[in-house]
Structure formats: structure tokens, C-alpha cells
Amino acid sequence: MLRTLKKRGKHLNRRTLAYFSLLGLTGIALSMPILQLSILYAGSGVAAVLFSCNPVFVTFLAFFLLGEPIRPRHIAALLLEVAGTVAIISPWNTRLSMTGVALALLSTLLFSVYGVMGKRKCAEYGGVVVTCFSFLFGSLITLALILLTHIPAVASALTAAGLSSFANIPILAGYTLQNLPCVLYVSAGVAGIGFCAYFLAMESQPASVVSLVYFFKPALPLSWLCGSTVKPSPSIWGQALFSSWRGPCAPSSREFWKPKASSSGHNQAAAAPGAPVGRKREQPAR
């Protein structure tokens, strides 16, 4: 991280640190806990499917905030996504909690804002710096929120609201040698390496293109293996629709692999009016 800053010749001022703090608040301290809260209400299957639709949010946020182009196929993908999501969550099913759906959508929106805001700084500071500082400030903010849950009045209010699991949250309890591999996988693998690779890709690709990785997230199959309460039969058509919107929204090969501008042509154009640069052309023998 420090090597990246030194290599780019960048220094962090108060304004930049405040920006990274806002990133950490949005993507780490708010989006992730809200996602876990949505699982309590709607189950892991519904929450995972809704969270996997964040590329559509990113596409439109990047259009308004970053000026990235939006194409007709993105509109088609949005329609397929809405149809698939409705089929999966089955709003006519009274057993499904609309509170959990709303929380999952809110978490998805916040994470999409996190990605688009992070994209703004990736070109300037690099994906590693964006990941490290957003995680650092996000972790500190999360720690502050955890400490707040130990205040008796706050803990009582959370318990009365049916959120007893968010009251008196332990900081170091529950870690054992048996669950250490899972903890390392989630923290160092999914969060650390995964998010770092996500922002590293944004250094050279649009945010709407990088977010397409969530289209290939097997949300429902994993949730079934993990013992989700969502049944496969009523959701299979929604999963098919949800998977089909990868095609319309996927970038073409020309759009994904944009050739970089050749520096040789620029140098030749710049050297034309003046003296020749580099090796002199050999004169023909007389």
C-alpha cells in the first residue's frame, strides 16, 4: 500500500482520508451488517439473489456519477433481472418477509454506491490503496458501532425490537481452532483478496463491467447446499430469468478489450515538424 502511494507520487490529505472514511462507512460498516440483518428476515437464498443484482445498480449509478455510457442491452438486462427477482422472492407468498427483501435491496444499493465511489479513486491511488483504507476506516467504524451495542439502553432497545443478536455483540468471543479456517477464508480470502481484486480491475475497466462478476455468482445453488429455507421448485424459473440477463448486459469483446492508444504514432506526429528523434536514418550510398 505504501509502495503504491510512493510509486504514484501521491499523499493522503484530510479530504482524501474523509473520502475513504465515507467509503468504509458505506460499504463495510453499513452494507455488510444490513445484509446479515436481511438474512435473519428473508433467508440466505433471497438475500444472496438480491445482492447478486448489484451490477444493475452499479450500471445506473456509474451512468449518473461517473458518466459511463448506458446501452439498450443494459435496459433489457434490468427488465430480466426484475422479472427473475420477482419470481424468486415471490411477493405473493405470505411466508416471505418484505422487511428482509427491503433490507437486502438497501444493502445492495449501498454496496453499489461503495463500488462506484471507489472507482473514482482507483485511477488516482490504485485499487490496493482504496481497498486497504476503506477496510481500515470501515473496521474502525464497525468497532465503534459494536461498542455502542454494549450500552445498556442501546442493548435493551435492540432486544425489544427483536434484534437480540445485535445487542452486546462480542468482539473476540467465538473464535476457535476449529472455525479458524472459515474465519481466515471469509476475512483474508473473500474480503481481503476478493475486494482487492475487485478494485484492481476497476483501474482499467469501467465499474459496470467489473461488477459483472456478480452475475456468475451461483447464489441459489450455494444457498441450497448451506441449508437455506428457500425451496428450489418455486424459484427455478426466477433463477433461469436471473441467469439469462447475463447475456444482454455482457460487454462485447471489442468493448471489453479496448486497445490502448499507440504511443509510437503520437511520437511520430510530434516529431514531424521538428528535428528527428532517436536514431538517424542512414543515407543511401552515393
Side-chain angles (χ1 to χ4, degrees), residues 49 83-90 220-221 224 230-244:
V49 168
T85 301
V86 170
I88 290 173
I89 65 177
S90 302
L220 281 181
W224 300 336
V230 178
K231 297 181 180 180
S233 53
S235 302
I236 189 65
W237 293 110
Q239 178 67 7
L241 287 170
F242 187 83
S243 301
S244 66

Side-chain angles (χ1 to χ4, degrees), residues 19 36 72 151 262:
Y19 192 94
Q36 297 301 319
I151 299 176
S262 177

Side-chain angles (χ1 to χ4, degrees), residues 6-22:
K6 184 178 180 180
K7 182 179 180 180
R8 292 174 176 262
K10 295 292 182 179
H11 301 280
L12 300 178
N13 51 33
R14 293 182 180 180
R15 186 174 181 178
T16 304
L17 291 177
Y19 192 94
F20 286 142
S21 300
L22 184 60

Side-chain angles (χ1 to χ4, degrees), residues 93-115:
N93 186 353
T94 56
R95 293 175 297 177
L96 184 65
S97 171
M98 290 295 105
T99 301
V101 173
L103 289 172
L105 289 175
L106 177 59
S107 173
T108 305
L109 178 60
L110 288 172
F111 187 81
S112 302
V113 173
Y114 170 68

